[in-house]
Amino acid sequence: MTLQQFRYMVEIAKHNSISKAAAALYVTQPSISKAVRDLEAELGITILDRTNKGVVFTKDGTELLFYAKMLLEQMESVVHHFHKEKKKDVTKFAISSQHYGFAIEAVANLMDYFAERKYELAIREGKTTDVIDDVYASRSILGILSLTDMNKHFFERYFISKSLMFTPLASLKQHVFLRKEHPLAYLECISLEQLRDYPYLTYQQDDMLLHFAEEALNIDNIGKLVYLKDRGAMNNLLSNTDSYNLGTGCIVNNYMNPNIISIPLEGSNLIQVGLVKRTDVFLPEELLVYIDFLKLALEKSMPNNIYK
């Protein structure tokens, strides 16, 4: 049993593929397969089930993967301890978030706060499942996402199954984002029926939890639909076309096009914005500083009709 075998297991888990793990580690696929088979023989268990769609960790394999990650993290701690003179005062962590301007504003404020120190930050933006998977796989120490009244109970069970914990920060009414020149921009409240003829912009394509997504909208009934990957494209299309997007209603100055406004959605569900982390992870002091900046940025950008 070697740390190298554990590294191979963790990389396979990241990619759900032996071939992709081999490419990421710059080794051959047979060498990884042999390492896994040797480990299976040594422990007398089956680690992976090989299917036409790829590899799946067995129950024993999943349990071993947990110990593998723990041992690798402990090894990294030892290395860090004895090489700390080379990495002195370097702050390193990764955060995953849905496409929220207030999360990025908080990062900018944190960078100012870290002006006198060295740091390496990784900021990942993605859809709901991207955020959850990043935190679960320890690619990110913290996730920022939102739940609605419709999907809250589903996600609570989902988090428990993955040993994750969700901490609410604020509850807001669902809003419509659109440009100031939009034909519906004069309204104080907008209904889904009024939006029917306008293009709908969303980040949720290929999300396995699409029907539990933050927008809680029946995609199948929409005639004009545009899927996007990043906030830049979303901002550009919202500010220059008669399209719309549904979300928190938070307007983040300097991080959103000033031509975009938000109007409450009639009869909408509440959106609960919050943090997700692994239950076995303790957040370092630097992360707590980021969370304070996040709360400030969120509060500053909130629409007037907040609930908490």
Side-chain angles (χ1 to χ4, degrees), residues 249-262:
C250 294
I251 298 294
V252 185
N253 294 331
N254 301 323
Y255 294 88
M256 291 180 64
N257 189 297
N259 201 41
I260 297 174
I261 61 174
S262 65

Side-chain angles (χ1 to χ4, degrees), residues 6-215:
F6 288 157
R7 288 193 189 95
Y8 290 165
M9 284 185 57
V10 171
E11 200 67 27
I12 292 171
K14 287 182 181 179
H15 301 281
N16 293 318
S17 166
I18 293 178
S19 60
K20 290 181 180 179
L25 293 170
Y26 300 100
V27 298
T28 64
Q29 182 175 340
S31 64
I32 289 189
S33 297
K34 182 179 184 304
V36 174
R37 287 196 301 269
D38 289 346
L39 192 55
E40 289 177 326
E42 180 180 352
L43 297 177
I45 63 174
T46 298
I47 296 174
L48 299 173
D49 282 333
R50 295 159 179 83
T51 69
N52 293 333
K53 296 182 179 180
V55 293
V56 178
F57 279 83
T58 64
K59 182 179 178 181
D60 286 335
T62 301
E63 186 174 354
L64 182 61
L65 179 63
F66 171 81
Y67 287 109
K69 289 180 178 179
M70 183 172 62
L71 288 171
L72 289 173
E73 288 174 357
Q74 289 176 344
M75 184 198 70
E76 290 176 359
S77 296
V78 172
V79 172
H80 175 77
H81 175 76
F82 288 102
H83 290 82
K84 57 186 177 182
E85 69 280 358
K86 298 180 181 179
K87 299 182 178 180
K88 187 176 181 180
D89 297 328
V90 176
T91 299
K92 299 177 63 173
F93 59 79
I95 296 170
S96 291
S97 174
Q98 289 177 305
H99 300 80
Y100 293 140
F102 50 79
I104 302 304
E105 180 180 11
V107 172
N109 291 333
L110 185 69
M111 292 168 64
D112 288 339
Y113 181 83
F114 287 163
E116 301 301 321
R117 71 168 72 181
K118 296 179 180 179
Y119 56 82
E120 294 179 23
L121 308 180
I123 311 301
R124 303 182 175 96
E125 283 193 332
K127 54 185 180 287
T128 312
T129 47
D130 293 332
V131 176
I132 295 172
D133 290 344
D134 281 349
V135 175
Y136 175 64
S138 296
R139 287 187 290 269
S140 292
I141 192 172
L142 187 72
I144 304 162
L145 49 74
S146 62
L147 311 181
T148 70
D149 288 345
M150 290 184 64
N151 65 32
K152 181 178 179 181
H153 295 298
F154 168 83
F155 273 114
E156 286 175 345
R157 295 193 299 271
Y158 191 69
F159 290 151
I160 291 173
S161 72
K162 287 184 170 287
S163 298
L164 301 176
M165 179 175 66
F166 179 77
T167 303
L169 295 180
S171 293
L172 308 96
K173 272 190 174 182
Q174 207 167 20
H175 279 63
V176 182
F177 289 104
L178 37 71
R179 64 172 175 165
K180 294 177 180 178
E181 299 85 5
H182 195 285
L184 302 179
Y186 70 94
L187 297 174
E188 294 185 0
C189 190
I190 299 176
S191 68
L192 289 177
E193 179 63 25
Q194 289 170 313
L195 292 168
R196 184 179 58 181
D197 295 329
Y198 298 101
Y200 173 53
L201 310 181
T202 179
Y203 296 112
Q204 295 295 335
Q205 188 179 25
D206 300 327
D207 196 336
M208 72 176 185
L209 301 178
L210 177 61
H211 298 293
F212 303 97
E214 66 189 56
E215 284 101 0

